[in-house]
Amino acid sequence: MARIAVIGAGMGAMATAARLAVAGHQVTVYERGSTYGGSVGRYERDGFAFDTGPGLLHLPAVYRDLFVKTGKRPLEDCVDMVQVDPAVRHVLADGTAVTLPGASRGGAAAVLDETFGAGAGERWNGVLGRARDAWDATRRPLLEEPLRPDWQVLGRDPYPALRRSGLLRRRPPTLAEVADRELGGALGELLAARVRAYGIDPATAPASAAVLPYMEQTFGSWYVRGGMRALATAVYERCRERKVTFVLDAPVREVLERDGRAAGLLLADGSEVAADLVVCGADPRQLRAPLPAGGAPARGPGVASRFTLLLALRGARPADAVHRTLVHSPGVQLTVLRPDDPACRPDADHEAITVSAVCGPEGTPEPRAEELLDLAARAVPGLRERLVWTQARTPADIEAATGAPGGAVPPPALAGADGRLLYPANTSALPGLFLAGGWAHPGGGLAHAGMTGALVAGLIVEGAQFRGSR
């Protein structure tokens, strides 16, 4: 049995802690804040409640596997998880509304044909079919296996762009070029918008970014009743069941090194914690000294953040309201989340809505609240007349909650782009130090961060020969 110190209580860190505890290790989590969950937070006021981080879960199988491997009660016994359908509504700049069903290729094609003309659905499914090929080629090395030593091979874009499309003459195409050449016009903007919502710029992203909308359409989008914070609570409780110890309000200053390997932690109050192994489940940049990371280069400071408005509205949620709407505009793309969840409102005569926009180096400049309200009104008729109060959440608030410089929100790893969109390996150059969470392979997002738990636990339990689940 090893003494393992985990830095941070985010979703990836807790997933790692639970798996290691089941394997018989003594695990203690040191969290800089006063609660668990990392970016998966909750804001409550006057009977309204809002998620302050991710609002939807993709690839729920990641957390189903975590609960199967760490206890008797499956995920569905711990949270009430429902698939979102329709999956998303797009409100284009010209006012056109396109509502796409969840997990249905045929249904999506029919809607697109009706909106954009015959053949639009076939072109859309053609792009997502090629995205499926990219998914099949990279799913294991990007999601299910530790980062391979020859990670540079993942710098080649696996998306098979159409021949004679003019996209393969000089270099692999960007996602924006695929959207323009293989879809065109407003239809292409639907693809670009789905990628942009992850904080990824379609103009510079590789075509392989098409795997993100493919993943959503194939595996669906899921909401946890009571808010996504309920998922964080379920993972935290599973950790406690497995005898993981949590030390809150305990910022870590640096990883201690003795005899050439990780030997514990130095906390901000000057106290030292001895450990046989250390797992960093937080953004390494918040430590005093950078952690030596092996494998691919880390994401640089260009990672985007979010500007969010939490809206308390009077009046019942309309029966035809859609859970997620993307509002398109030339300067700002807005995501509007309207969960049909009694736990998020004081009564049936009120509604809680979250609106957010990507901002930062790879997104737009930080928007004004009034601008976001104007855009949100295109998705929520009569919004201003119904408004009771608003609460802004800025990148500075995200930085205060998570410690990530600039409030950066890491997106998932992507193949292509010469490996620039990969993350550091889960092992590091310092023996005994491992990296988990959204700032390590395979990157950010609830599902991807959760995958780091299986990877780090496998490397610790089975050793360097561990190559992932099959």
Side-chain angles (χ1 to χ4, degrees):
M1 179 180 71
R3 297 169 302 168
I4 301 179
V6 178
I7 304 173
M11 297 299 282
M14 290 197 296
T16 307
R19 289 177 181 270
L20 290 172
V22 166
H25 296 292
Q26 179 185 326
V27 184
T28 303
V29 175
Y30 296 87
E31 164 58 40
R32 65 188 295 277
S34 59
T35 188
Y36 55 85
S39 64
V40 186
R42 187 85 162 157
Y43 180 85
E44 298 182 0
R45 174 180 163 190
D46 300 336
F48 294 91
F50 307 83
D51 288 318
T52 59
L56 293 171
L57 172 65
H58 307 296
L59 290 177
V62 172
Y63 288 92
R64 291 192 180 111
D65 181 71
L66 171 66
F67 277 73
V68 166
K69 299 292 175 56
T70 59
K72 294 181 179 179
R73 296 179 64 206
L75 176 63
E76 281 78 4
D77 283 358
C78 301
V79 296
D80 182 8
M81 193 166 61
V82 293
Q83 188 168 1
V84 173
D85 195 15
V88 61
R89 174 178 290 165
H90 293 264
V91 178
L92 301 178
D94 64 1
T96 300
V98 186
T99 303
L100 298 177
S104 173
R105 287 170 54 91
V111 169
L112 295 174
D113 280 344
E114 181 179 352
T115 305
F116 300 111
E122 181 179 3
R123 297 200 305 279
W124 176 266
N125 282 340
V127 167
L128 292 196
R130 290 184 284 280
R132 178 196 59 215
D133 294 339
W135 167 267
D136 290 342
T138 58
R139 176 178 58 86
R140 282 197 59 80
L142 267 183
L143 303 181
E144 298 176 358
E145 299 177 343
L147 190 67
R148 52 196 298 171
D150 58 342
W151 57 265
Q152 291 85 351
V153 301
L154 293 173
R156 296 194 290 268
D157 193 333
Y159 180 85
L162 281 176
R163 296 184 180 277
R164 297 184 299 278
S165 65
L167 295 179
L168 297 172
R169 292 178 181 175
R170 300 180 303 278
R171 54 169 173 74
T174 65
L175 189 282
E177 289 169 336
V178 165
D180 181 52
R181 299 289 186 89
E182 298 185 11
L183 294 174
L187 183 61
E189 174 57 21
L190 299 191
L191 183 74
R194 299 284 278 274
V195 170
R196 195 178 294 118
Y198 285 84
I200 298 171
D201 183 0
T204 58
S208 66
V211 301
L212 299 175
Y214 163 78
M215 181 177 67
E216 291 184 17
Q217 180 165 299
T218 302
F219 304 108
S221 300
W222 298 77
Y223 174 72
V224 176
R225 294 202 180 277
M228 300 306 292
R229 177 68 177 176
L231 178 63
T233 297
V235 176
Y236 170 75
E237 291 177 347
R238 178 55 54 89
C239 286
R240 294 296 300 272
E241 291 171 7
R242 304 268 63 91
K243 309 303 182 185
V244 174
T245 299
F246 285 80
V247 182
L248 303 178
D249 298 311
V252 174
R253 185 180 299 173
E254 63 181 86
V255 175
L256 298 176
E257 177 182 349
R258 291 193 179 94
D259 300 324
R261 61 176 293 110
L265 305 176
L266 175 64
L267 304 184
D269 64 6
S271 60
E272 293 188 2
V273 174
D276 302 306
L277 299 168
V278 173
V279 176
C280 180
D283 182 352
R285 293 177 296 175
Q286 64 185 269
L287 300 180
R288 187 174 69 179
L291 294 177
R299 288 260 183 169
V303 177
S305 186
R306 302 284 191 277
F307 184 94
T308 301
L309 286 180
L310 312 177
L311 308 181
L313 303 184
R314 62 176 61 88
R317 181 184 187 273
D320 62 349
V322 172
H323 191 114
R324 177 174 57 154
T325 301
L326 297 183
V327 181
H328 302 234
S329 76
V332 179
Q333 176 179 298
L334 193 69
T335 298
V336 179
L337 297 180
R338 306 179 70 179
D340 185 10
D341 187 350
C344 296
R345 56 189 183 238
D347 53 51
D349 294 324
H350 291 84
E351 183 179 7
I353 295 179
T354 301
V355 302
S356 62
V358 173
C359 61
E362 289 189 6
T364 61
E366 189 171 309
R368 296 178 299 106
E370 289 298 312
E371 181 182 10
L372 295 191
L373 285 174
D374 288 340
L375 288 174
R378 295 172 53 192
V380 185
L383 181 146
R384 286 189 178 274
E385 292 76 16
R386 298 177 57 197
L387 195 60
V388 179
W389 52 259
T390 68
Q391 176 66 48
R393 184 172 175 81
T394 68
D397 294 320
I398 298 175
E399 179 173 2
T402 67
V409 179
L414 293 172
D418 297 324
R420 294 191 306 275
L421 304 183
L422 301 175
Y423 287 82
N426 306 110
T427 54
S428 76
L430 180 64
L433 173 62
F434 298 83
L435 306 183
W439 295 99
H441 173 75
L446 278 175
H448 290 68
M451 291 171 189
T452 65
L455 296 176
V456 172
L459 287 165
I460 289 176
V461 173
E462 298 185 26
Q465 70 273 14
F466 172 73
R467 297 312 304 165
S469 60
R470 294 189 179 276

